[in-house]
Amino acid sequence: MRFWFATPLWQRVIAALVLGILVGYLWGPGAESIKWIGDLFIAAIKMLVVPLIFFSLVAGVASIGDLRKLGAVGGRAVILFVITGQIAVWLGLGLGTLFQPGAGLDTSAIEVGEVPQSNFTSWTDMIVATVPASPVQVMADGAVLPLIVFSLLIGIGILMAKDEGTPVAQVFDSGSVVMQKVTAIVMELTPFGVFALIAWVTGTLGIPALLALGQMVALNYLGCFLMIAVVYVGMLKFMAKVPVVAFFRGMIDAIAVSYSTASSSATLPVTLRCLERNVGVGRSVSSFTASLGATINMDGTAMYLGLATLFGAQIFGLDLGFSDYIIIAVTATLGSIGAAGIPGTGLIMMTLVMGSVGVPLETIAFVAGADRIMDMMRTTTNVTSDATIATTVAAMTGELDRAELISADDV
Ligand code: ASP
């Protein structure tokens, strides 16, 4: 027991993954009998969706403090969040279309439940569907899109109410911490869920399924590397005009912590320390940009959601058109904004994106077995993006102490 908890969660998950593949391979279709353990894990994750988004998004907006204070820093940061997020999600869609990781896989052995009907038959329907006509209904249905709109509005309401809004803000603050703890409990189920799900996939569909999944993991890593090596390096070089190697050397602690914890929020203190002490970003810019970024700026997650949805469409033989791509881009962006910076939330958000274009939600069970390995890399991408944007905004607003970065280079 002590040994179990003394081993970091991610190591237990990787061990479960390897063991699950082995057991599934040897057991064959009989492995179906333990799938319920994986279903239980996914049900527990789904349970978190509504309260997690509601509390963390309202608390995130309320933490900005004052709508007017946003000013130069907030405007620039948010524009860069949006631009990099869009590049990421379209990169995911591009990679998925180009390499077709799920094409040709025979998934007839998987029983597909009721495929969710798309709410969005036209543009106008799509816009109307974002308005939470009944917030309670929206929560009961787990309709994430109107829930995000509702949460943003409550957050803005809190800011507008100023002092009188403080008690409500505190409730959401505390609620979001509580929800993170509940998530941590659910995450303890990960090794069991991963074991059962990957054994089921391997047992029922065999090695071709593993190869497809392996391709998806490889594409996910490729996409993240491209974001870092092309987009962020480009921004650092041409917009912030800082020495790139020195920047990454300064951020190395945050990069290592993000990869091993798979949590942007848990990495935040390290991100801030690296930015302020090693890169020379002014405190006001770093705390605002990196803190907000840890909750709403998730390029790795946005890319993953785009890629995974295409993967689901491919393994279940669904044809998606360009209008579906646009819906995926919008919902994946919203999903990455709504995802809390803790392990596994990207997986939770798949319900939103896949549901909106009618991709079978069984895809979630299919990829969940390999999610953690991808989560580690996408979290590193998310954190690198926050740090890059904080540095760029600091350079633009004269809050970057360039001497600090140069001296860090000597270390
Ligand atoms: N684990 C990611 C993060 O904390 C979110 C995700 O699951 O995509 O940044």
Side-chain angles (χ1 to χ4, degrees):
M1 194 70 172
R2 188 171 304 161
F3 170 74
W4 180 259
F5 286 107
T7 314
L9 183 61
W10 69 272
Q11 289 177 8
R12 282 181 269 153
V13 174
I14 305 258
L17 185 71
V18 176
L19 210 65
I21 291 177
L22 213 71
V23 169
Y25 184 69
L26 296 174
W27 200 353
E32 171 109 44
S33 59
I34 54 165
K35 177 168 178 271
W36 67 272
I37 302 173
D39 290 341
L40 187 134
F41 167 59
I42 293 178
I45 291 184
K46 277 193 191 154
M47 164 187 88
L48 301 170
V49 178
V50 169
L52 199 58
I53 296 182
F54 188 44
F55 282 110
S56 79
L57 213 53
V58 174
V61 176
S63 73
I64 293 172
D66 182 342
L67 277 178
R68 281 168 310 175
K69 260 196 211 155
L70 284 178
V73 172
R76 284 180 169 89
V78 171
I79 289 173
L80 291 175
F81 287 165
V82 172
I83 294 176
T84 54
Q86 283 309 303
I87 296 176
V89 72
W90 284 101
L91 178 65
L93 289 170
L95 289 173
T97 310
L98 198 65
F99 293 97
Q100 304 271 328
L105 185 69
D106 178 14
T107 48
S108 50
I110 297 182
E111 226 174 274
V112 176
E114 199 183 314
V115 176
Q117 281 306 306
S118 163
N119 300 326
F120 311 130
T121 42
S122 72
W123 275 105
T124 45
D125 281 357
M126 188 169 159
I127 295 168
V128 173
T130 58
V131 180
S134 158
V136 176
Q137 182 86 47
V138 160
M139 291 188 195
D141 292 346
V144 181
L145 212 52
L147 177 64
I148 290 176
V149 173
F150 184 63
S151 311
L152 290 176
L153 286 173
I154 299 280
I156 292 172
I158 291 176
L159 292 181
M160 289 170 73
K162 299 205 175 82
D163 287 351
E164 281 177 286
T166 313
V168 178
Q170 281 168 343
V171 169
F172 279 95
D173 243 354
S174 143
S176 75
V177 175
V178 172
M179 280 315 299
Q180 296 205 8
K181 301 288 176 211
V182 178
T183 307
I185 299 173
V186 170
M187 283 302 126
E188 286 297 326
L189 297 174
T190 315
F192 306 102
V194 162
F195 172 79
L197 289 166
I198 205 79
W200 162 67
V201 167
T202 317
T204 46
L205 301 181
I207 300 297
L210 282 187
L211 291 180
L213 212 50
Q215 273 189 53
M216 154 104 182
V217 174
L219 282 180
N220 188 77
Y221 270 72
L222 175 67
C224 288
F225 278 122
L226 285 175
M227 281 307 290
I228 295 172
V230 179
V231 181
Y232 308 146
V233 164
M235 284 170 72
L236 291 164
K237 232 185 161 108
F238 300 112
M239 291 173 76
K241 300 195 169 54
V242 294
V244 174
V245 175
F247 171 86
F248 281 100
R249 195 175 301 168
M251 292 304 302
I252 195 76
D253 286 355
I255 290 171
V257 173
S258 64
Y259 192 77
S260 49
T261 60
S263 166
S264 303
S265 297
T267 314
L268 185 60
V270 189
T271 313
L272 290 175
R273 195 182 138 94
C274 290
L275 278 173
E276 287 160 21
R277 293 179 45 149
N278 303 344
V279 183
V281 175
R283 182 171 287 263
S284 63
V285 174
S286 68
S287 62
F288 172 83
T289 314
S291 312
L292 189 65
T295 344
I296 70 165
N297 178 49
M298 297 198 177
D299 298 346
T301 306
M303 196 201 59
Y304 177 61
L305 289 171
L307 183 61
T309 307
L310 287 193
F311 182 75
Q314 287 158 8
I315 60 172
F316 288 107
L318 215 77
D319 257 339
L320 296 180
F322 189 66
S323 58
D324 294 313
Y325 276 43
I326 294 181
I327 294 174
I328 297 174
V330 172
T331 48
T333 307
L334 290 169
S336 69
I337 291 172
I342 45 181
T345 40
L347 188 69
I348 302 177
M349 291 301 154
M350 275 189 197
T351 326
L352 158 73
V353 188
M354 293 183 180
S356 70
V357 287
V359 168
L361 297 185
E362 279 70 20
T363 314
I364 300 179
F366 194 96
V367 295
D371 183 69
R372 181 67 179 210
I373 317 177
M374 297 187 271
D375 196 2
M376 292 159 75
M377 189 62 211
R378 66 180 187 256
T379 308
T380 297
T381 312
N382 294 343
V383 168
T384 311
S385 175
D386 297 338
T388 303
I389 292 177
T391 308
T392 308
V393 171
M396 286 168 148
T397 51
E399 294 264 0
L400 185 66
D401 180 354
R402 290 174 189 278
E404 193 88 45
L405 186 60
I406 305 299
S407 63
D409 200 19
D410 298 334
V411 180

